[in-house]
Amino acid sequence: MSFISRLAPAAVALPLLLAACGTTEPSAGTTDRAEVPVAAAPSGTGGVRINTSPEQNRIRADKVDAIAAKVPEAIRSRGELTVGFNGEGAPPLVSLADDDTTLIGVETDLAYLIADVLGLKVKEQNTSWENLFLAVKSGKYDAVLNNVTVTEERKDIYDFATYRVDQLAWQVGASSPITKIEKPADIAGLNVSVGSGTNQEKILLEWDAQNQKAGLEAAQIQYYQKYGDVLLALKSGRIQAYLGPNPPIAYQVAVGGDSRIVGTLSGGGSVEGLIAVMTLKGNGLVQPINEAINTLIENGRYIEVLKRWGLENEALSRSLINPPGLPRQPK
């Protein structure tokens, strides 16, 4: 059974704190700075109920022949889109349903929608976070939809078609004396947790480095494999704060009642953080995926899925190919 209860109300995520970004070479699927698609405003509606059962009754879409014809022949001929997910997460992103087997979430729903437009069936692959990147790089997986943020380093190896704004949140225990975390100095000396190998880890390490350079006390960083372990650590006081993706945190705050959000920030740090479908660079798949997403935005299926999971305030008005990502890390 999932550690989050079945059919529980989802939280309305907090307002986004995002900066504009642009591309250097506008072309099909890209945009210049003046035309950057912004996230929709928070819906302001509550009472969304999340179905965590294996019977999902997903929203589906029709095939678009002109887009499907652009899918690389090797994929088109087998009729399947092999998509990687990490099912160890929590609603509303990717998680296991109440049967502890079926993958559910906004990411899986969008994968099925994209595949519908491309005239393909989804072949799900549930693996670890680290293996998602290795499997795409080796060609084992065609694509990944798993809350992957666009970064400049990742763009060296992968292509990206954006589909959601990346927002992070700081989570603390309900009785914590911490009331806000909005700048690096706010985490000086704290016991904090973050996911290993994630963009939020890069941001946290940058904050900690700034603090130490300024003579402030270093943060004590702890790592956990599963979000459930993070929640236990917060409850027991082993950690004082956790930095992670806003959607599952906002969801847990709503259904658990034993934690709070004390700050949000863009997952892209100094640029607008964007979540994207990840494919192998140059394999010809990113263009049809990008066109499929924009078709779904235009026909309304895209926003229906986001609303289903309480994430309509993270919607984009247009999908981009390889937009500016999180800056490269110093070597």
Side-chain angles (χ1 to χ4, degrees):
M1 183 69 72
S2 171
F3 71 88
I4 299 179
S5 61
R6 182 178 180 181
L7 292 175
V12 176
L14 299 178
L16 302 176
L17 304 176
L18 300 169
C21 68
T23 60
T24 55
E25 294 185 48
S27 60
T30 62
T31 185
D32 61 26
R33 184 175 298 272
E35 297 176 334
V36 170
V38 296
S43 66
T45 60
V48 174
R49 297 181 68 81
I50 301 300
N51 175 12
T52 61
S53 77
E55 294 79 31
Q56 285 294 294
N57 298 316
R58 289 187 171 97
I59 296 165
R60 305 304 293 265
D62 295 326
K63 177 182 178 181
V64 178
D65 290 337
I67 299 176
K70 298 180 182 181
V71 174
E73 173 60 27
I75 298 173
R76 195 166 67 246
S77 61
R78 71 173 185 257
E80 290 182 331
L81 186 70
T82 305
V83 184
F85 305 99
N86 175 15
E88 293 185 347
L93 295 176
V94 184
S95 63
L96 295 178
D98 296 336
D99 62 358
D100 284 330
T101 300
T102 305
L103 288 171
I104 62 171
V106 68
E107 312 287 57
T108 55
D109 278 11
L110 288 173
Y112 276 87
L113 273 181
I114 291 167
D116 284 345
V117 175
L118 300 180
L120 303 171
K121 294 182 179 179
V122 173
K123 182 178 181 181
E124 298 177 356
Q125 297 292 319
N126 186 6
T127 189
S128 67
W129 169 259
E130 294 80 5
N131 193 53
L132 292 174
F133 296 87
L134 296 174
V136 171
K137 186 177 180 180
S138 69
K140 184 178 180 181
Y141 297 172
D142 299 318
V144 163
L145 278 88
N146 204 99
N147 207 52
V148 177
T149 303
V150 181
T151 76
E152 290 303 306
E153 289 171 333
R154 288 173 180 168
K155 283 162 59 180
D156 292 340
I157 303 172
Y158 309 100
D159 281 328
F160 295 92
T162 62
Y163 63 90
R164 200 161 43 78
V165 170
D166 180 15
Q167 186 184 23
L168 305 178
W170 281 103
Q171 182 180 17
V172 301
S175 60
S176 172
I178 299 172
T179 58
K180 66 178 180 179
I181 297 178
E182 59 184 13
K183 59 185 184 300
D186 294 334
I187 64 164
L190 296 184
N191 289 323
V192 298
S193 182
V194 71
S196 177
T198 62
N199 291 313
Q200 51 265 33
E201 180 191 26
K202 292 181 180 180
I203 292 172
L204 177 59
L205 293 176
E206 288 173 358
W207 280 28
D208 189 50
Q210 289 179 42
N211 284 341
Q212 294 186 54
K213 187 175 181 180
L216 300 177
E217 187 178 356
Q220 303 302 309
I221 303 174
Q222 300 183 35
Y223 297 92
Y224 297 93
Q225 290 293 325
K226 298 181 180 180
Y227 183 47
D229 295 334
V230 170
L231 297 175
L232 291 175
L234 278 173
K235 188 173 183 179
S236 68
R238 293 197 302 274
I239 59 174
Q240 294 164 280
Y242 167 67
L243 178 63
N246 178 70
I249 293 177
Y251 181 91
Q252 176 59 27
V253 167
V255 303
D258 55 359
S259 63
R260 295 181 285 113
I261 290 176
V262 293
T264 60
L265 64 153
S266 169
S270 60
V271 301
E272 182 180 45
L274 294 169
I275 301 298
V277 182
M278 183 175 73
T279 67
L280 182 62
K281 192 171 188 68
N283 72 352
L285 189 54
V286 71
Q287 184 72 40
I289 287 178
N290 165 259
E291 292 183 20
I293 295 170
N294 281 324
T295 295
L296 295 165
I297 290 172
E298 292 167 6
N299 67 23
R301 294 291 188 270
Y302 165 81
I303 197 65
E304 285 183 50
V305 166
L306 265 62
K307 286 181 177 179
R308 180 174 186 244
W309 296 97
L311 295 178
E312 62 266 39
N313 65 323
E314 295 193 353
L316 293 176
S317 62
R318 185 152 56 102
S319 174
L320 308 177
I321 293 176
N322 295 330
L326 195 69
R328 294 179 185 275
Q329 298 300 298
K331 294 183 179 180

